[in-house]
Amino acid sequence: MSKFPLKTRLNYKFDNYLSKGTAAMIYGLGILSMIIIIVFGLLLLVFGLHPDHDRDFTIFESLWVNLTHVLDPGVLGNHEDNWPFRIFMLFTTFLGLVIISTLIGLVSNGILTKMDELRKGRSFVIEKDHVLILGWSSKIFTIISEIVIANENQRRGVIVILADMDKVLMEDEIRDKVGSTANTVVICRTGNPIDVHDLYIANPFDTKSIIILDKDNENSDSQIIKTIVAIVTNPERREAPYHITAEMEDKKNFEVAKMVGKDEVELILSDEIISRIMVQTSRQSGLSVVYIELMDFGGDEIYFMEEESLIGKTFREILFAYEDSAIMGIQYADGSVEINPTMDTIFREGDSVIGITEDDDTLVPNSPDVIELLEDKIVYTEPEVKDEEKILILGWNNRARHIIRELDYYVPPGSHVKVMSKFDDAAKAINKLSNLVENIHLSFEVTDTTDRETLQNMDLGQYDYIMLLCYQNYFPIQEADAQTLITLLHLRNFTEKNGQKYKIVSEMLDIRNRQLADITSADDFIVSDKLISLLMSQVSENKFLMRVFEDLFDADGSEIYIKPAKEYVKVGEPMNFYTILESAARKNEVAIGYRVIKEAKEANKGYGVYVNPRKSDMFTLSDKDMVIVLSED
């Protein structure tokens, strides 16, 4: 026999029953109502209480009368001459009021509970061919904007976001920072991307592509690797390979992630890529604008296309086969990519051309039958001998190590790099790097890089170029950008006072601060989050693009260079782009555009950068204008 009283045990069972939720309570209330109606229906017959003294009152009529009184107290006013029946039904009606009131409360509570569950974003996503974004960071807004543009030619696009954030907060931020998403539906779900159960909510099995964002903490790489494992090793995974794009910070984790994801994952080493872009841009103004033009979905992009009519032709012939597209290289039948191959490379069956064009359906051979080459406008110049360089780096963050190592590949032996930072913890890294670089002599000084007097006494004119790095590891994003902006404003003021122009490339973290920085004297800006966001968006649409950008970012092989136009053609005279293309081809280079320096500060004109111009159109370049080429040096 139980040691607990009957009342306690009944209360315990009742509590357990209520904890089962709204549906169980409504079910129990329905059973109770049926019991009351049946019992009271039988009592009417037993006591002979018939409405209006009806002697033919049957069990079914009795049940119906009780049911109507339970559900509708308004019928209580009937049967004015039958007081015994009226008093009996009054009691039934009171019970009905209790039941109906409870039922209304349960239904209302159930609706509120369901709305709260929907607000939490925990329901399963029934979509197909959607882009799944796992995680949340400042990059997500650029990625969403780019995917929306990429989906413009589709009837309906879908982006699903799974992040450890409140669903409503995510939706509000997207509305605020992205705005209209046109024909693309954005669905937010709350959950931890490294949790297998939460991952299931976002339906990774039916995705077109998956983007995994960094976690903005010291364990980011390990968490991303776990997410990749959770996707590719899931027992319910699909047979078709996934298309996963993930960002990683530490190169040491690259091989592990690649081993887990194999060919299903494309890994972007964000710090290395930004460092390479920054080094390349520091040496040639405007390069970041070219990269943005190639990476975003507005304007022209990079596409791949098999073209049977080109089989058997050389790469040089292919360059001139397109009027509205700039050819960059070839993707061979085995999937490998080569940017700017040798001019006598033969295009074979199964190969694809890699071209910059407006859309995938515009990458078609359409050059005129007779191409007008202005031979008298072509010039040939010997490459300049490189002298030792002096470079100044103001500021410090984790990318600085990669930047210095990358600089070592480009500068002539005997070059000098001086690093100045507000914080002394960079000294240890500088000492270690000194033993690793071959062409660079490194020095370090602790000083306030935002102090006007310090900058003024540094003889800045001795440096070939200045690189400004954000104090990303020491300050919040806005404060780090503010520190950089102060330094830039000081340098601009020096320029106005003494007329000495400094060649500057600056790092910015927030794209919104890019507009503020336009008033400074910097030659170029690297907005790291935006570039990585654009790259992830492009690779999520076409995984083979990663091979193209890896080739472009690598110090070996061909890269994008911006060289003086006067090294290719006679300036100040009208010409077409076919002529520039021919001049570049004679140097084993591929011309893909040009830059008008007088428009270098005009954002509405793309800072003077024109990628993939129509080749037969006539234009005139000045002696300060530049030609954008793919070259090995």
Side-chain angles (χ1 to χ4, degrees):
M1 185 174 180
S2 175
K3 63 180 180 179
F4 299 107
L6 177 62
K7 180 181 178 181
T8 301
R9 283 183 280 134
L10 289 175
N11 285 337
Y12 176 72
K13 290 182 180 296
F14 184 68
D15 289 344
N16 284 341
Y17 183 80
L18 291 181
S19 67
K20 293 181 179 179
T22 303
M25 288 188 284
I26 292 176
Y27 175 76
L29 194 62
I31 296 297
L32 178 62
S33 300
M34 292 297 297
I35 293 173
I36 290 174
I37 291 169
I38 292 172
V39 170
F40 277 69
L42 293 173
L43 288 176
L44 277 181
L45 294 177
V46 170
F47 293 131
L49 299 176
H50 305 158
D52 301 325
H53 307 287
D54 183 2
R55 298 302 178 183
D56 298 326
F57 196 55
T58 65
I59 182 62
F60 299 108
E61 291 173 330
S62 179
L63 294 176
W64 177 255
V65 169
N66 278 276
L67 175 64
T68 56
H69 278 76
V70 166
L71 297 179
D72 183 11
V75 301
L76 188 61
N78 298 330
H79 324 293
E80 296 179 358
D81 297 332
N82 194 342
W83 278 99
F85 180 78
R86 182 183 294 180
I87 293 171
F88 186 91
M89 297 313 299
L90 177 64
F91 185 66
T92 304
T93 302
F94 282 147
L95 289 177
L97 284 172
V98 173
I99 291 171
I100 294 300
S101 299
T102 305
L103 180 63
I104 292 172
L106 289 174
V107 172
S108 176
N109 181 69
I111 292 173
L112 292 175
T113 301
K114 188 62 178 178
M115 290 177 66
D116 191 49
E117 288 178 358
L118 292 173
R119 182 184 179 276
K120 292 178 179 177
R122 300 290 295 171
S123 59
F124 181 74
V125 174
I126 304 177
E127 295 289 347
K128 190 175 179 61
D129 294 330
H130 55 286
V131 176
L132 173 59
I133 302 175
L134 300 175
W136 186 272
S137 75
S138 58
K139 301 180 185 69
I140 199 167
F141 307 111
T142 301
I143 291 174
I144 292 173
S145 299
E146 290 301 307
I147 295 174
V148 167
I149 296 173
N151 288 340
E152 285 180 347
N153 59 351
Q154 299 181 18
R155 186 178 62 85
R156 179 179 182 268
V158 179
I159 301 172
V160 177
I161 302 168
L162 177 69
D164 198 7
M165 275 184 65
D166 182 81
K167 173 180 180 288
V168 175
L169 288 178
M170 288 190 280
E171 292 171 343
D172 288 344
E173 280 205 57
I174 292 170
R175 260 191 304 270
D176 181 45
K177 297 181 179 178
V178 177
S180 172
T181 57
N183 60 323
T184 299
V185 178
V186 180
I187 300 170
C188 296
R189 290 291 181 266
T190 300
N192 191 343
I194 66 174
D195 186 293
V196 176
H197 179 266
D198 288 357
L199 195 59
Y200 175 81
I201 295 172
N203 187 14
F205 315 111
D206 295 321
T207 55
K208 178 176 71 174
S209 65
I210 300 173
I211 299 173
I212 307 177
L213 299 179
D214 67 301
K215 310 299 179 184
D216 197 21
N217 60 50
E218 60 182 11
N219 299 317
S220 176
D221 284 0
S222 60
Q223 293 174 356
I224 289 173
I225 291 172
K226 184 179 178 184
T227 302
I228 295 172
V229 171
I231 295 171
V232 301
T233 63
N234 192 303
E236 299 181 22
R237 65 151 296 159
R238 69 191 190 197
E239 292 184 9
Y242 289 106
H243 176 22
I244 304 171
T245 305
E247 177 186 1
M248 305 212 70
E249 295 181 356
D250 195 334
K251 192 173 183 178
K252 292 181 290 187
N253 297 319
F254 183 90
E255 293 300 328
V256 176
K258 200 65 181 173
M259 178 189 69
V260 171
K262 298 184 173 60
D263 293 335
E264 294 182 286
V265 63
E266 295 298 326
L267 299 173
I268 296 174
L269 288 167
S270 54
D271 281 353
E272 278 201 9
I273 287 174
I274 293 301
S275 301
R276 290 174 178 178
I277 293 175
M278 192 156 190
V279 169
Q280 293 179 17
T281 301
S282 68
R283 306 176 64 78
Q284 39 196 343
S285 175
L287 186 57
S288 70
V289 182
V290 178
Y291 276 127
I292 289 175
E293 176 68 21
L294 295 179
M295 289 181 188
D296 68 16
F297 285 103
D300 293 354
E301 303 111 49
I302 300 174
Y303 291 96
F304 298 69
M305 186 67 67
E306 290 189 35
E307 183 59 55
E308 292 185 3
S309 64
L310 301 178
I311 295 175
K313 292 187 176 183
T314 64
F315 181 66
R316 198 182 202 287
E317 292 173 314
I318 293 172
L319 292 178
F320 293 86
Y322 293 80
E323 166 75 12
D324 302 316
S325 304
I327 303 304
M328 300 176 64
I330 298 175
Q331 181 186 39
Y332 300 111
D334 62 1
S336 62
V337 164
E338 188 173 8
I339 300 302
N340 185 27
T342 58
M343 292 294 160
D344 59 357
T345 300
I346 302 299
F347 190 84
R348 305 187 184 280
E349 186 175 355
D351 293 348
S352 298
V353 291
I354 305 170
I356 305 168
T357 190
E358 185 177 357
D359 208 341
D360 54 358
D361 58 359
T362 60
L363 188 56
V364 293
N366 61 343
S367 61
D369 295 334
V370 178
I371 296 175
E372 183 182 8
L373 289 176
L374 307 177
E375 186 68 35
D376 60 322
K377 303 291 176 66
I378 297 176
V379 299
Y380 181 79
T381 56
E382 293 290 338
E384 296 180 359
V385 178
K386 295 181 179 180
D387 296 324
E388 296 175 0
E389 297 179 4
K390 295 190 72 174
I391 304 157
L392 177 63
I393 298 178
L394 297 175
W396 186 264
N397 57 43
N398 288 338
R399 278 189 283 273
R401 299 177 179 87
H402 299 293
I403 289 172
I404 293 171
R405 292 292 300 272
E406 196 68 20
L407 275 171
D408 194 47
Y409 293 120
Y410 289 91
V411 299
S415 296
H416 180 249
V417 174
K418 183 171 185 177
V419 180
M420 303 183 73
S421 171
K422 285 186 173 184
F423 305 94
D424 60 2
D425 58 346
K428 185 177 180 180
I430 294 294
N431 291 333
K432 185 176 180 181
L433 283 167
S434 296
N435 300 320
L436 299 176
V437 294
E438 297 178 359
N439 300 323
I440 293 174
H441 171 69
L442 279 171
S443 63
F444 176 68
E445 182 181 337
V446 179
T447 189
D448 187 353
T449 54
T450 61
D451 181 68
R452 179 180 179 83
E453 186 175 351
T454 300
L455 294 170
Q456 200 167 17
N457 296 329
M458 284 175 54
D459 186 19
L460 296 173
Q462 65 177 305
Y463 296 101
D464 293 285
Y465 46 91
I466 302 170
M467 302 175 73
L468 266 64
L469 302 185
C470 288
Y471 290 105
Q472 184 176 1
N473 304 115
Y474 308 95
F475 299 108
I477 289 177
Q478 297 304 325
E479 176 62 23
D481 277 355
Q483 299 264 328
T484 304
L485 189 60
I486 290 171
T487 304
L488 283 169
L489 289 170
H490 285 320
L491 296 179
R492 182 186 184 189
N493 187 250
F494 298 159
T495 299
E496 292 176 349
K497 283 193 169 185
N498 58 29
Q500 193 173 30
K501 180 75 166 61
Y502 310 117
K503 187 176 180 183
I504 305 168
V505 59
S506 175
E507 179 185 32
M508 283 283 169
L509 301 177
D510 191 331
I511 183 62
R512 291 170 294 184
N513 295 327
R514 172 68 168 87
Q515 296 174 342
L516 296 175
D518 277 343
I519 68 173
T520 68
S521 60
D523 293 282
D524 224 324
F525 295 92
I526 302 298
V527 186
S528 50
D529 274 7
K530 181 175 178 65
L531 284 170
I532 294 299
S533 303
L534 293 175
L535 180 57
M536 295 187 80
S537 303
Q538 288 281 346
V539 175
S540 72
E541 290 290 312
N542 183 351
K543 65 180 298 180
F544 296 109
L545 278 173
M546 195 62 212
R547 307 287 87 76
V548 174
F549 287 112
E550 284 174 346
D551 199 341
L552 291 176
F553 298 147
D554 197 339
D556 296 328
S558 292
E559 302 149 49
I560 299 176
Y561 286 88
I562 303 179
K563 300 184 179 182
K566 59 187 177 183
E567 295 183 5
Y568 295 85
V569 292
K570 292 179 180 179
V571 295
E573 300 180 18
M575 74 189 67
N576 58 33
F577 199 73
Y578 279 118
T579 303
I580 295 177
L581 190 65
E582 172 64 24
S583 180
R586 294 178 185 181
K587 299 181 180 183
N588 295 310
E589 298 175 350
V590 176
I592 61 173
Y594 59 90
R595 190 183 194 200
V596 179
I597 297 302
K598 69 178 182 180
E599 300 174 358
K601 297 297 181 182
E602 300 182 38
N604 61 333
K605 294 185 178 180
Y607 303 99
V609 170
Y610 295 86
V611 176
N612 184 33
R614 185 175 171 84
K615 295 184 179 64
S616 59
D617 289 349
M618 302 298 290
F619 59 95
T620 302
L621 297 177
S622 73
D623 60 345
K624 293 183 179 180
D625 293 338
M626 314 290 281
V627 173
I628 305 168
V629 297
L630 298 170
S631 174
E632 292 191 1
D633 53 32

